[in-house]
């Protein structure tokens, strides 16, 4: 039996979305999504909250503040572009769009939208508006309003920092 055949498909009957409750954009999207007809019910819990830690003790709760995280009722965890795709999939009117975004270049489109939206996120002390400070993500990407997006690889990685879209340096 192949690894693919060995996978067991578990239906998703409910989703918990961990979102940054201090972010104006995140709260706006939560409210908009909550008004949409849902095929799969979604529950919204502030990321990093006592409730989130109680429900999901195995998650990296610091990372959930950097990236929206969605947890399925059977323990599935979706992050980054996959989290947004599964949220669209749960909405009646947007499920076809989620299917188009779920593979190939569609995933890149969602990833780009997430990076663009990150520019407008409100940080601590800047509820409802982006504060103009550097926004850093756990995956090494950061946005500085003076310089744009940059990526810093993992510690010890040759190549250092480069502008968004620039090919990584290669060490031979």
């Amino acid at each position: 039996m192949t690894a693919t055949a060995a996978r067991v498909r578990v239906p998703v009957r409910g989703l918990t979305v961990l979102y940054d409750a201090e972010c104006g954009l995140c709260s706006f999207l939560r409210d908009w999504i909550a008004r949409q007809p849902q095929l799969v019910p979604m529950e919204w819990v502030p990321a990093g909250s006592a409730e989130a830690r109680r429900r999901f003790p195995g998650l990296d709760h610091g990372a959930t503040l950097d990236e929206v995280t969605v947890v399925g009722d059977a323990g599935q965890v979706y992050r980054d572009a996959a989290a947004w795709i599964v949220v669209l999939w749960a909405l009646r009117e947007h499920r076809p769009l989620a299917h188009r975004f779920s593979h190939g270049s569609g995933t890149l489109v969602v990833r780009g939208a997430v990076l663009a939206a990150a520019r407008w996120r409100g940080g601590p002390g800047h509820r409802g508006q982006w504060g103009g400070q550097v926004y850093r993500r756990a995956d090494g990407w950061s946005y500085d309003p003076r310089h744009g997006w940059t990526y810093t690889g993992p510690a010890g990685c040759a190549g250092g920092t480069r502008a968004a879209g620039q090919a990584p340096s290669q060490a031979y």
Side-chain angles (χ1 to χ4, degrees), residues 25-87:
L25 177 61
C26 302
S27 295
F28 171 81
L29 289 171
R30 176 207 59 208
D31 293 345
W32 180 83
I33 291 167
R35 291 190 305 269
Q36 305 304 304
Q38 298 176 5
L39 295 171
V40 177
M42 284 182 265
E43 188 174 2
W44 297 80
V45 175
S49 68
E51 178 67 11
R53 291 175 193 281
R54 183 188 66 75
R55 288 185 184 196
F56 310 109
L59 284 181
D60 176 354
H61 290 279
T64 65
L65 287 167
D66 286 336
E67 286 293 334
V68 64
T69 302
V70 179
V71 182
D73 59 333
Q76 309 94 325
V77 177
Y78 307 92
R79 290 191 172 93
D80 195 33
W84 288 111
I85 292 169
V86 80
V87 165

Side-chain angles (χ1 to χ4, degrees), residues 93-148:
E93 295 174 13
H94 300 286
R95 186 168 276 188
L97 184 61
H99 285 290
R100 284 195 299 270
F101 284 152
S102 67
H103 53 80
S105 61
T107 303
L108 295 175
V109 169
V110 173
R111 180 75 177 136
V114 169
L115 289 172
R119 177 174 183 230
W120 301 107
R121 285 188 71 207
H126 302 287
R127 186 166 178 79
Q129 61 181 351
W130 182 61
Q133 299 175 351
V134 175
Y135 167 66
R136 299 183 199 295
R137 296 168 27 111
D139 64 358
W141 284 96
S142 62
Y143 180 81
D144 182 322
R146 294 169 297 171
H147 307 293

